[in-house]
Amino acid sequence: MSLRYLTAGETHGPQLTAIIEGLPSNLEIDFEALNFQLQRRQKGHGRGRRMQIEKDAAQIVGGVRHGKTTGAPVALVITNNDWKHWTSVMNIEPIEGNDETKRRVHRPRPGHADLNGGLKYNLKDLRNVLERSSARETAARVAVGAVARQLLAQFGIKVAGHVVSIGGIVAPAPNMDIDELIERTEQSPVRVADPETERRMIELIDKTKADGDSIGGVVECIVTGVPIGLGSHVQWDRKLDGRIAQAVVSINAFKGVEFGIGFDAANRPGSQVHDEILYSPERGYHRATNRLGGFEGGMTNGEPIVVRGVMKPIPTLYKPLRSVDIDTKEPFTAQVERSDACAVPAASVVMENVVAWEVAKAFLEKFGGDSMEEVRANYDNYLRQVAEY
Ligand SMILES: Cc1cc2nc3c(=O)[nH]c(=O)nc-3n(C[C@H](O)[C@H](O)[C@H](O)COP(=O)(O)O)c2cc1C
């Protein structure tokens, strides 16, 4: 059974729920490490009041016993603390009242799912769309990815993320190993390793917030310790770079993705794009460079995976854009829901965990077994085969 998950829950509902299926038994779950990922998602300079209300923690309600997976589906729950203010508005039973008491939304916000979702699902209260399309759902995805990265960690695979740019301010490429990058970005409220860039980004976020506007940016995820051969060239939907790209663009507000030198490949001759193949007895096959971000033919080539995603500016603006009221068809300025000015640092955490999930899924496709012991044996056997090749 391949690894899969589903999430459910609304931003002002009682909780987010995720079910993961396909994890092997005997994977030790570090609950603290799981909640650490959720807390990382809530931080970052530029976030609004909602993140101060929520103190996310995942409760595992199935599939884990005495600290280890049992092979059964793992069910996770993240409570929404804000729910207590929304029990009537978000009640699953019908409630009495007018638009105001139901907090009905009839002015769709540009840049959001509101209008498309309202038309598609024939919902005259756009709250039914925005409650689910909200990026609150990414908390569930982070929890799921946090479990995946624990599986990867058992095999020495590390995942890091950092912010490359915010609102046009570009950080210098971090020239450091993954452990130092993790340590440095963890200290930074904008998740950059360079203090001068951090200062300028914070200044820009504050100015943008004061102007009632928002800004986006670019985030990068790096995965090290990946064996050669995750993903496959033989079928389009087995190409791991393609699957990671889909997962990254599925994160709310992500509009593009690139691997390695990415779009710059279009500007260079082939000799400055492709990574030459080297061999040494100590390292086996490896590359002189990693311009292609760890992929050839939809498969990992043993170099770190380097993937970047671009996040558009947050669409909800305190200086709202024009929209049309779905009741009157009159032009209106869009309704404001509580919002962040910049969520790029938080999005970097989401991306890390989303990428970790895709890598773990491909890992289990290659080395899959019903228990961790079986996965380990398959992995060791493959490494032996590669070494003897
Ligand atoms: C971590 C994170 C936080 C976000 N916070 C907000 C927010 O506070 N306000 C907002 O309007 N959009 C926010 N977004 C973006 C919207 O959820 C997203 O733009 C919207 O759902 C429409 O989806 P699309 O941009 O992918 O088309 C956030 C996205 C992420 C990844």
Side-chain angles (χ1 to χ4, degrees):
M1 167 55 71
S2 92
L3 196 57
R4 60 180 175 157
Y5 76 93
L6 283 175
T7 74
E10 281 71 35
T11 184
H12 297 113
Q15 65 184 44
L16 297 165
T17 307
I19 297 186
I20 306 172
E21 192 181 39
L23 281 172
S25 65
N26 297 333
L27 170 64
E28 262 180 57
I29 299 294
D30 180 338
F31 302 101
E32 225 171 275
L34 172 51
N35 288 329
F36 177 61
Q37 292 302 326
L38 289 171
Q39 284 145 22
R40 291 176 75 223
R41 192 198 74 97
Q42 294 190 279
K43 292 199 226 146
H45 196 76
R47 304 218 68 191
R49 273 199 304 133
R50 175 70 190 271
M51 284 307 107
Q52 289 154 21
I53 296 170
E54 301 298 346
K55 291 276 174 280
D56 285 339
Q59 197 194 344
I60 295 182
V61 293
V64 177
R65 187 160 172 263
H66 302 163
K68 286 184 179 177
T69 55
T70 62
V74 170
L76 286 157
V77 165
I78 304 165
T79 305
N80 289 330
N81 290 329
D82 209 10
W83 154 247
K84 55 181 175 286
H85 304 121
W86 292 81
T87 47
S88 168
V89 175
M90 293 303 292
N91 206 319
I92 54 165
E93 303 275 352
I95 62 161
E96 298 299 323
N98 58 20
D99 278 4
E100 209 178 316
T101 52
K102 291 178 182 167
R103 295 199 60 177
R104 174 173 170 253
V105 177
H106 48 97
R107 294 173 195 155
R109 303 160 305 163
H112 275 280
D114 304 359
L115 183 59
N116 306 336
L119 289 165
K120 177 177 166 71
Y121 287 93
N122 194 25
L123 296 167
K124 295 284 165 54
D125 182 354
L126 302 178
R127 177 161 303 284
N128 289 319
V129 180
L130 76 84
E131 284 288 334
R132 178 65 186 154
S133 68
S134 157
R136 178 84 189 124
E137 189 266 349
T138 61
R141 275 197 269 176
V142 166
V144 163
V147 173
R149 67 199 286 165
Q150 292 189 21
L151 181 128
L152 296 176
Q154 295 287 325
F155 299 91
I157 299 174
K158 293 182 183 175
V159 184
H162 68 107
V163 169
V164 171
S165 73
I166 287 182
I169 297 175
V170 183
N175 204 3
M176 57 191 77
D177 72 23
I178 191 161
D179 292 321
E180 191 181 347
L181 182 65
I182 291 170
E183 203 188 306
R184 296 264 292 267
T185 52
E186 218 48 49
Q187 309 304 322
S188 168
V190 283
R191 295 201 175 279
V192 291
D194 176 52
E196 174 54 17
T197 312
E198 174 185 297
R199 190 192 58 73
R200 290 172 56 218
M201 283 176 174
I202 289 174
E203 213 171 271
L204 181 63
I205 293 168
D206 290 344
K207 185 184 173 306
T208 306
K209 195 174 178 179
D211 292 347
D213 220 323
S214 63
I215 32 176
V218 174
V219 296
E220 182 172 89
C221 176
I222 300 164
V223 188
T224 61
V226 188
I228 297 174
L230 299 190
S232 175
H233 63 292
V234 304
Q235 200 63 261
W236 68 271
D237 59 354
R238 292 180 60 190
K239 295 184 183 213
L240 182 55
D241 47 0
R243 286 173 13 180
I244 290 175
Q246 201 259 316
V248 169
V249 176
S250 81
I251 303 170
N252 305 43
F254 274 60
K255 293 290 129 189
V257 63
E258 60 176 13
F259 292 87
I261 59 168
F263 276 49
D264 195 32
N267 310 320
R268 301 188 189 189
S271 57
Q272 286 171 43
V273 170
H274 299 288
D275 302 306
E276 287 178 308
I277 299 172
L278 306 178
Y279 181 84
S280 71
E282 305 77 45
R283 292 182 61 191
Y285 293 101
H286 60 280
R287 302 310 170 106
T289 51
N290 186 22
R291 295 163 179 150
L292 292 177
F295 282 104
E296 283 153 316
M299 290 169 283
T300 50
N301 64 10
E303 297 300 321
I305 295 174
V306 181
V307 52
R308 272 183 294 279
V310 52
M311 184 188 195
K312 74 182 184 183
I314 294 285
T316 305
L317 305 175
Y318 284 96
K319 199 162 58 180
L321 299 173
R322 283 185 305 166
S323 180
V324 174
D325 191 305
I326 60 166
D327 292 343
T328 63
K329 313 289 187 276
E330 294 292 324
F332 221 94
T333 47
Q335 222 153 298
V336 176
E337 286 280 315
R338 190 162 36 210
S339 188
D340 305 336
C342 175
V344 175
S348 143
V349 176
V350 177
M351 180 166 155
E352 271 178 47
N353 286 287
V354 158
V355 170
W357 172 267
E358 292 304 325
V359 175
K361 188 173 165 191
F363 189 92
L364 286 183
E365 279 165 16
K366 178 91 185 86
F367 306 115
D370 294 314
S371 66
M372 281 299 281
E373 295 72 26
E374 205 177 341
V375 175
R376 169 74 59 191
N378 293 340
Y379 174 77
D380 289 344
N381 190 40
Y382 175 71
L383 289 198
R384 244 187 327 269
Q385 178 193 304
V386 168
E388 287 164 9
Y389 175 82

